[in-house]
Amino acid sequence: MATAPELHDDLDPFTAMESLRAALDRVGIVLPSLAVDPGSPTLRLVDLGRVRADVALRLADALRGAAA
């Protein structure tokens, strides 16, 4: 079972979002709604947004490939 990741008070959500965007771009995946959630600045949430089913499957395939 996966454990909860440790929270990092110094982690910038904008940097995390751009890092994720770049990684997804490298495998040809675009999440148009990817953004920092402005309604939760203290939680530093990154909103992944909504995606089409085909994009969700490509993302799952890319994650499976990275885990292999």
Side-chain angles (χ1 to χ4, degrees), residues 8-68:
H8 297 278
D9 290 336
D10 60 345
L11 187 59
D12 176 31
F14 292 97
T15 301
M17 178 196 62
E18 289 303 327
S19 178
L20 178 58
R21 185 183 310 276
L24 290 170
D25 187 54
R26 282 192 295 277
V27 293
I29 297 173
V30 175
L31 299 182
S33 303
L34 183 63
V36 172
D37 180 6
S40 61
T42 58
L43 293 176
R44 297 174 306 282
L45 298 178
V46 175
D47 186 354
L48 302 180
R50 301 181 326 171
V51 299
R52 296 184 324 258
D54 64 310
V55 174
L57 287 174
R58 287 178 43 221
L59 180 56
D61 288 343
L63 290 170
R64 277 196 279 299

